[in-house]
Amino acid sequence: MKIKAIIVDDENHARLALHGILTENFPEVEVIDQCKDVPEAVKAIHKLQPDVVFLDISMPGYSGLEIVDFLDTATMQCKIIFVTAHAEFAIHAFEMNAIDYLLKPIRVAAVERALQKIKANTIAIENLKQHLSTTSSQKIALQTGDGVLFLELSQIIYLKADGSYTHFYTIDGKKITISKKLAEFEKLEQMGNFMRIHRSHLINLDQMERYLKQDGGTVVMKNGAMLSISNEKKQALMDLFLGNKL
């Protein structure tokens, strides 16, 4: 079975690296084109009708996730394998269980896994738009030392900064340490009911149990954790829940 593939990535070295992996390890794959952005990819897909598109997510102009807005989903039969250097940027893609992803730096074993799904006739482009429009981002993808952990937002109680690391505390009592600063997870405030209440704490508001005025202001979480709240966040927190002044 010959698989016709297109590689889409704005970085030339990334395209070359993936092309090398495919040609050296997977003779059944024929790379028929390489594109540097979504507009180029759309033209190539319509013209060449590939079986699979290796699609980078984070690119200038249009994100890889936006490609479905430019394709004729009634006629496109190709499948999408998302590619990303940052696991947390691929939340939409990770939630589509029938679509695989490659995490940079790309490994041969990951490509083999993805191609097996292609051969098993996983989801095609005509269904991708529906998945993107109906799937809500209720998970965050965290890159750990041995892979990617998919964590439900509802399972998070709070995050705590620890220098260049961030600790996730979950409702099942786990402490998950990620080698990224807390600032890199502030996007949770747009994804769910989260608020950064202090330079060291970002909390799930659904897991907040009490507010105490003692010690300059303390939030008590449902797991018993007592977390400091900064002066500038006190009123915002009270306004959010009570609509009144402290």
Side-chain angles (χ1 to χ4, degrees):
M1 174 185 177
K2 201 69 174 177
I3 299 174
K4 297 185 296 181
I6 290 177
I7 298 172
V8 186
D9 199 306
D10 61 302
E11 297 179 341
N12 183 58
H13 68 88
R15 296 195 301 271
L16 292 175
L18 179 52
H19 184 275
I21 289 174
L22 292 172
T23 55
E24 292 174 16
N25 298 277
F26 303 97
E28 71 272 27
V29 177
E30 178 188 1
V31 178
I32 58 176
D33 204 356
Q34 298 183 47
C35 307
K36 68 177 184 299
D37 55 30
V38 167
E40 277 192 11
V42 171
K43 293 178 182 177
I45 291 170
H46 279 292
K47 179 181 179 181
L48 302 174
Q49 297 289 306
D51 300 305
V52 59
V53 178
F54 292 89
L55 181 63
D56 188 27
I57 290 178
S58 182
M59 293 185 289
Y62 297 100
S63 160
L65 292 170
E66 295 179 275
I67 197 168
V68 293
D69 295 331
F70 303 95
L71 291 175
D72 180 358
T73 56
T75 59
M76 294 296 101
Q77 298 299 315
C78 64
K79 300 174 179 68
I80 301 291
I81 296 176
F82 287 107
V83 181
T84 179
H86 307 282
E88 64 273 19
F89 292 169
I91 293 168
H92 287 290
F94 296 145
E95 288 187 339
M96 300 173 213
N97 293 328
I99 296 178
D100 216 330
Y101 67 92
L102 300 176
L103 189 61
K104 298 177 182 179
I106 296 171
R107 293 175 171 82
V108 173
V111 177
E112 183 174 10
R113 177 200 66 198
L115 290 175
Q116 287 301 321
K117 289 189 176 184
I118 294 298
K119 294 173 184 177
N121 194 30
T122 56
I123 190 167
I125 192 68
E126 67 267 18
N127 297 321
L128 179 55
K129 183 178 288 187
Q130 180 179 355
H131 278 265
L132 284 171
S133 62
T134 60
T135 304
S136 58
S137 297
Q138 297 302 313
K139 295 180 184 178
I140 184 170
L142 303 174
Q143 188 172 356
T144 63
D146 58 354
V148 178
L149 173 67
F150 306 102
L151 185 61
E152 294 278 354
L153 299 189
S154 61
Q155 297 297 302
I156 301 170
I157 299 177
Y158 70 96
L159 289 68
K160 181 178 180 181
D162 183 10
S164 296
Y165 295 87
T166 298
H167 304 299
F168 283 71
Y169 293 85
T170 64
I171 61 175
D172 58 359
K174 292 180 181 178
K175 175 184 174 182
I176 303 163
T177 300
I178 303 297
S179 58
K180 291 188 177 182
K181 293 183 178 180
L182 181 61
E184 298 194 43
F185 296 104
E186 287 184 340
K187 64 181 178 295
L188 285 171
E189 293 182 288
Q190 284 74 52
M191 292 170 55
N193 198 23
F194 287 80
M195 176 184 286
R196 187 165 184 176
I197 62 169
H198 187 273
R199 68 178 182 275
S200 297
H201 304 133
L202 195 158
I203 69 170
N204 182 348
L205 295 171
D206 293 330
Q207 291 293 321
M208 187 178 72
E209 189 169 76
R210 298 178 64 194
Y211 168 77
L212 303 175
K213 293 184 178 181
Q214 66 189 44
D215 300 324
T218 301
V219 168
V220 182
M221 307 304 291
K222 288 183 179 179
N223 68 342
M226 301 180 69
L227 309 176
S228 300
I229 182 170
S230 65
N231 289 328
E232 61 268 24
K233 291 294 185 177
K234 290 178 188 176
Q235 193 58 57
L237 189 67
M238 290 302 100
D239 288 345
L240 181 63
F241 284 97
L242 303 176
N244 61 14
K245 301 294 182 182
L246 285 171

